[in-house]
Every structure is written in structure tokens, then in C-alpha cells.
Amino acid sequence: MLILGIETSCDETGVALYDTQDGLLAHALFSQIDMHADYGGVVPELASRDHVRKLLPLCDQLLDRANRLRQDIDGIAYTAGPGLVGALMVGGSVAHALGLALGIPVLGVHHMEGHLLAPMLEENPPAFPFVALLVSGGHTQLVKVDGIGVYEMLGESVDDAAGEAFDKAAKMLGLDYPGGPRVAALAEKGTPDRFRFPRPMTDRPGLDFSFSGLKTFTLNTVHAAEKEGDLSDQTRADIALAFESAVVDTLTIKCRRALQQTGCSRLVIAGGVSANRRLRTGLEGMAAKLKGSVFYARPEFCTDNGAMIAYAGAQRLQAGQRDGERIVAVPRWPMNTLPSIDEPRTTGLVD
């Protein structure tokens, strides 16, 4: 099957063509970062309007690049949630319109399942079962994965996601949007151990996360430096390093617990924050001590993209799952409510 994947959950317009025999044929992405940077974050209405402008031309460019026609497509997968409801509706509307015109099945895909399965696009994909750390601007979750759609939630953030904490810390340090990569770049210039930040919720059992207190600690540290007249470029770099180290250590400690608790030897990290170099190094070192392995997608597939949606959709479409006539757009959607790949329904919400 040749599957067109469409991703429009937030501020990235992503499309891809995935063939169940030949693998990923082509992918394309248009980022709205420059537009939203003026506002310090994503403006939902602007994001939706830009998806409307960019999606169909991007699909046509993709088909040209892959030397395929619309009539060659056997199925369409689109992001149905979680995400910004207006942005989701754009992708869902285009997917259903194309599916109706071409007479082919359409499927709404869970955004985080797409991230979770993105490492399957690599040459050395992980085998089931494994533990997945899903870490992005909207989610921080630990999941036991026994198969596609067979998910056990082990722990998640009780407040802010790690990616959101990175973005907020960036604002405190006077950095532009998106904050995560900018904090990481600034941290490279930091002095180790000048500041010591807490590792939240690591002094108690369990696998849940909390990053709101770490944000407050960062803000207090910035204010203290300002009061002392010492918020220099070097101090800002030192704070960035202390913040990043605290997040990485917290995630690493929880991942170690999850592997030990489940008995799994394989760890998958996915989502935008999974591209963080310090996080990858920390998790690889931890897993090596446990005689385990870490898997992740290439950097371009860590952030939102159409390839992960095309792959996830292809697995379910090939198994016979598909949408009904209604467009599915679910701003909040727990991943552990998804059916397994062997069940007949796609979303478990509407036919």
C-alpha cells in the first residue's frame, strides 16, 4: 500500500509517502517557526490558516518528488489528535476530501503514536516489547509498548511537559522561540556545577514527572542574578546548563526505574526533546550500565513530521482499520485508549 501521511497538529505542515513494501519514498515539511517567533509561541488561528495555504501545494510537491500521481495513493493517514483543534481540522478535512475523491480509505492517527513509532523508520528499528519515553512540548510520558496499540502508561507529567519547561526557561533567559534548541545551545557555553538545580520527584518512588517547580527555581535564580547585577551572558549560560542538566538527570533516573520495573532492555525516546544531545548521551550511558539499548529517530523525525504519521497509519490501514465518514479531531486523547492493531475500529470514538 502507498500511504500519504499528513501532519498538522500544531505549527508544522508535514507530508510523506510511505510504501509498505519499499518504505519511505519521500517527505516534506514546512515550518511556521519564523511566523510564530514574533509572538513568542504558537498562535492557533495563524497556525490553522497557514496549514490551509500550505498543505495541498506541499502534497503536490511531494508527489512530484516521488514521481507518483494522486491516483497511485492507496490510503491516507492524518493526525487526528492530540493537538490544536483548528490545525487538526485542516489536515482531517484535506485527508477526507482527497479520500472521497480518490475512493480510498482514510485514517485518523494518534500524534504521539506517530512519535513512538518514528524509530521504526530507521535501519535498526527496536523490537517489541520496549519502554518508550515520549518527551515533547506537550507530553512527557513513559509507556510500556508490547505492540502497536498495546500500551501501558507507566508515568507522565503531573503538570508541565519537559519541552514546555524548556520553552519557559528560554523566555526567562531572554531567548527566542523555539526555546528548547536555544537553551541547549546556550548550555554548551555553561560552567558545570556553578548552579545546582533540583531533580524533581526523584526522591520518591514512582514514574511520574513534575517540571513546574523546576521552572520556578529557574525564575528565582534569574531574579537573584538580576538583583546582584550579574545576569551576564556567562551567568545565563550557567543557568541554562544547570536547568538542562536537571531535566536530563530527572528523565534518565525515571527511565532507569522504568526499565528495571518492566524488565525491558530496550528504550525508545521520541518527540522533539529526544533530539537533545545531552539527553541522548545520558540515556545511552544509563542503558549501557543495564546492558540495554536506546533507539531514537533521526533528528528530522524527532519533531513533528509527516513520515511518522504515514508509517503509523500504514500499519493500521494495512490491518483494515479506517475512519468512518466523520473527520476525527481530538485535542486531548489518552494514548492508552487506542485499540490494538488487530481490533476493527481506529479511534474508538466515532464510526
Side-chain angles (χ1 to χ4, degrees), residues 32 47 84 89 94 135 140 147 171 175 178 208 236 257 324 333:
Q32 303 175 5
L84 303 175
M89 284 298 297
V94 170
V135 57
T140 302
K171 286 185 178 181
L175 303 175
D208 286 335
R236 290 166 61 247
R257 289 182 187 174
W333 188 4

Side-chain angles (χ1 to χ4, degrees), residues 35-334:
M35 177 176 65
H36 296 292
D38 293 338
Y39 303 93
V42 177
V43 181
E45 178 66 17
L46 295 180
S48 300
R49 290 178 180 274
D50 212 50
H51 288 313
V52 171
R53 286 191 290 267
K54 298 296 192 304
L55 185 51
L56 277 175
L58 204 62
C59 286
D60 290 338
Q61 293 173 24
L62 178 77
L63 289 165
D64 287 343
R65 187 180 303 172
N67 196 27
R68 296 290 193 277
L69 302 174
R70 287 186 182 179
Q71 290 76 13
D72 296 328
I73 301 171
D74 298 310
I76 302 174
Y78 67 96
T79 301
L84 303 175
V85 66
L88 295 171
M89 284 298 297
V90 175
S93 299
V94 170
H96 273 265
L98 285 174
L100 183 63
L102 297 172
I104 56 177
V106 177
L107 176 68
V109 171
H110 195 288
H111 180 74
M112 296 311 294
E113 181 173 70
H115 276 303
L116 185 150
L117 297 176
M120 298 295 186
L121 292 164
E122 304 303 320
E123 292 184 1
N124 180 33
F128 300 115
F130 56 79
V131 169
L133 171 65
L134 303 177
V135 57
S136 66
H139 298 81
T140 302
Q141 300 173 332
L142 277 167
V143 186
K144 169 77 180 306
V145 182
D146 289 308
I148 297 177
V150 187
Y151 307 131
E152 177 189 355
M153 193 65 63
L154 302 174
E156 59 187 330
S157 179
V158 299
D159 41 54
D160 298 332
E164 181 183 357
F166 265 103
D167 287 339
K168 296 292 176 56
K171 286 185 178 181
M172 299 172 197
L173 294 169
L175 303 175
D176 292 333
Y177 173 84
R182 300 185 190 280
V183 170
L186 183 60
E188 291 297 320
K189 304 173 185 177
T191 304
D193 301 323
R194 178 181 172 187
F195 295 101
R196 173 71 182 178
F197 282 23
R199 275 59 176 162
M201 294 184 71
T202 58
D203 58 349
R204 68 189 77 173
L207 296 172
D208 286 335
F209 303 90
S210 172
F211 294 104
S212 62
L214 188 58
K215 287 193 319 182
T216 302
F217 195 94
T218 304
L219 182 61
N220 290 340
T221 304
V222 170
H223 285 169
E226 286 178 327
K227 191 174 293 186
E228 294 172 5
D230 185 31
L231 194 58
S232 62
D233 289 345
Q234 185 59 54
T235 296
R236 290 166 61 247
D238 296 343
I239 293 173
L241 176 58
F243 170 83
E244 183 184 49
S245 298
V247 173
V248 168
D249 286 352
T250 299
L251 294 172
T252 302
I253 290 168
K254 297 287 186 170
C255 284
R256 182 178 66 243
R257 289 182 187 174
L259 291 175
Q260 292 171 332
Q261 177 178 310
T262 60
C264 287
S265 61
R266 290 177 289 272
L267 175 68
V268 165
I269 55 171
V273 182
S274 70
N276 182 280
R277 181 192 60 80
R278 202 176 301 275
L279 176 60
R280 291 191 177 195
T281 300
L283 291 176
E284 287 171 356
M286 176 274 297
K289 292 179 182 177
L290 297 178
K291 295 181 168 48
S293 304
V294 180
F295 300 83
Y296 37 76
R298 68 197 79 167
E300 62 192 308
F301 292 159
C302 290
T303 54
D304 295 349
N305 63 88
M308 67 182 192
I309 301 304
Y311 178 84
Q315 309 314 304
R316 292 184 175 274
L317 283 164
Q318 198 171 27
Q321 298 184 355
R322 63 244 307 108
D323 277 357
E325 294 182 356
R326 297 183 185 180
I327 299 168
V328 180
V330 192
R332 297 182 182 276
W333 188 4

